[in-house]
Amino acid sequence: MQAPFSENAILACMDKYFATAHPSLLLARGDDCAVLRPSGPLCLSTDLFLEDVHFRRAYFTPQEIGHKALAVNVSDLAACGAKPLAFTLGLGLPPDVDLSMLEGVFAGMSALAERLRMGLAGGDLSRSDKFCFSITVWGEGDARSGAGCHWLSRSGAQPGDVLFLIGSAGLARIGLELLESEGRKIMQKWPAACAAHLMPQPQVDAGQILSRLGQTEHPPVLMDVSDGLASDLPRLLGMPRSGLGAELLIPEALLHRELTQYARAHGKDPVREAYLGGEDYALLGACSPRLLSALHTALPGLWEIGVVTDSDGIRLNGARVREDLGFDHFHETAEIK
């Protein structure tokens, strides 16, 4: 680490961007433990965000690194319909990181935290060969119904339920391909695709709306799309043990213009690229048809992509698709994601 880089200097830099006190904490960072102030059940999630596995400094700015490190975690809270409260940060720093770069990371992370009113409760620091983030986030379910806190899960889909998506599908995938091959110079030509990969926006408001409207005998099931529809839809349906399947209808006309242009220019099928996806951080759900009218009114960006079936397997625009197409960190062909 470059002098005068030290643990105290890192903590002082952190204090510039994150307030110590927060309404969700009885005892904030600086002590051996933070003490939470839960008003009910907590929704908690944790993720790793690793250099050259999830991001590259070659085309991420420090601000984008900080934003995405937190955003991918908050997306899990959105999938539960939870209100974000606070987070912890485990941070591994390589020798070539200086305070200027760290300021950028904290600036990007704190901007998202402030927008979502999240507090930083604490964490840990260490040397590392590469940038390494381990973030744990927590939030609370909706409590405005008067019937206790409510949250959503990814289990419970039934045959006849309508499958829906909130957010884009496949756009971050082509953003990654473009940035990997061309670097940041390509951003002017493909701004939406690159932004989808560099600065994902967790669908927090949509998740809370779904949670409130779904307080019925058959609430929606919901998850975030981090590994692409090809991987995450089978998880939502509990395949293969559940015996459920899906009939998907994804018209090319509903896909983002940059996705269709890129796919056509490279001899690819835009719908297949959208289905494979990866790192979209959209919300994928299934609900009773009786809920659709209310959901469309409250969430104009919601689009129906198919129905849950009682036959194992997935069909996309009439054709059966393989169930091993999605991203897997431990597959031998897996690259940066």
Side-chain angles (χ1 to χ4, degrees):
M1 299 280 181
Q2 300 176 13
F5 218 59
S6 66
E7 188 167 328
N8 285 338
I10 297 169
L11 294 174
C13 180
M14 186 179 295
D15 287 342
K16 291 170 57 178
Y17 291 92
F18 300 96
T20 302
H22 190 269
S24 65
L25 302 171
L26 289 170
L27 183 63
R29 70 177 186 276
D31 218 298
D32 293 298
C33 290
V35 180
L36 311 184
R37 191 196 303 270
S39 58
L42 293 177
C43 303
L44 182 142
S45 182
T46 189
D47 270 308
L48 296 173
F49 190 62
L50 308 176
E51 184 176 4
D52 293 335
V53 176
H54 301 99
F55 71 95
R56 296 198 200 280
R57 277 191 271 169
Y59 53 77
F60 271 80
T61 67
Q63 288 83 357
E64 290 162 349
I65 293 171
H67 170 94
K68 189 167 184 177
L70 181 57
V72 300
N73 284 266
V74 171
S75 184
D76 288 329
L77 294 178
C80 284
K83 173 187 175 183
L85 294 177
F87 68 103
T88 61
L89 170 62
L91 183 59
L93 295 174
D96 61 339
V97 170
D98 59 19
L99 276 176
S100 174
M101 181 177 295
L102 199 58
E103 292 242 8
V105 170
F106 288 156
M109 188 177 292
S110 66
L112 179 59
E114 288 177 11
R115 175 154 60 89
L116 298 174
R117 299 181 180 179
M118 298 182 74
L120 175 59
D124 195 20
L125 300 171
S126 178
R127 281 181 176 267
S128 178
D129 291 336
K130 295 183 178 182
F131 250 134
C132 173
F133 297 81
S134 177
I135 294 180
T136 297
V137 296
W138 60 91
E140 61 183 2
D142 182 71
R144 282 174 281 186
S145 66
C149 289
H150 184 78
W151 63 90
L152 299 174
S153 77
R154 64 171 67 174
S155 61
Q158 300 178 11
D161 282 356
V162 178
L163 291 162
F164 63 84
L165 196 69
I166 301 171
S168 63
L171 196 58
R173 175 184 176 85
I174 65 167
L176 169 61
E177 292 181 5
L178 287 161
L179 289 162
E180 283 282 291
S181 62
E182 303 290 341
R184 289 185 71 89
K185 64 184 181 183
I186 204 67
M187 291 178 63
Q188 289 186 346
K189 184 176 179 181
W190 304 95
C194 293
H197 179 68
L198 297 171
M199 293 278 287
Q201 302 300 321
Q203 301 280 345
V204 172
D205 291 342
Q208 292 182 55
I209 290 171
L210 284 163
S211 180
R212 290 197 298 273
L213 294 179
Q215 296 184 31
T216 68
E217 73 283 355
H218 178 31
V221 298
L222 195 67
M223 69 179 295
D224 79 324
V225 183
S226 57
D227 292 331
L229 285 173
S231 285
D232 290 329
L233 178 57
R235 293 169 181 159
L236 185 81
L237 299 177
M239 297 174 64
R241 289 175 295 177
S242 67
L244 297 175
E247 188 75 38
L248 298 179
L249 178 61
I250 302 180
E252 184 178 322
L254 289 180
L255 303 179
H256 195 281
R257 175 180 53 83
E258 288 188 16
L259 171 58
T260 57
Q261 288 181 349
Y262 177 83
R264 293 301 183 201
H266 291 79
K268 299 181 178 182
D269 177 3
V271 173
R272 186 178 188 275
E273 293 302 295
Y275 180 66
L276 291 175
E279 296 210 300
D280 296 305
Y281 300 104
L283 294 180
L284 169 66
C287 72
S288 165
R290 295 190 299 273
L291 274 178
L292 271 179
S293 177
L295 294 185
H296 276 301
T297 299
L299 296 164
L302 178 146
W303 50 300
E304 300 172 39
I305 62 170
V307 295
V308 179
T309 65
D310 59 4
S311 59
D312 195 16
I314 296 173
R315 295 178 66 85
L316 173 60
N317 292 352
R320 180 72 181 258
V321 293
R322 286 168 39 198
E323 291 157 25
D324 60 349
L325 295 176
F327 180 85
D328 184 334
H329 269 288
F330 299 97
H331 193 279
E332 61 182 8
T333 61
E335 297 179 356
I336 187 171
K337 173 188 172 295

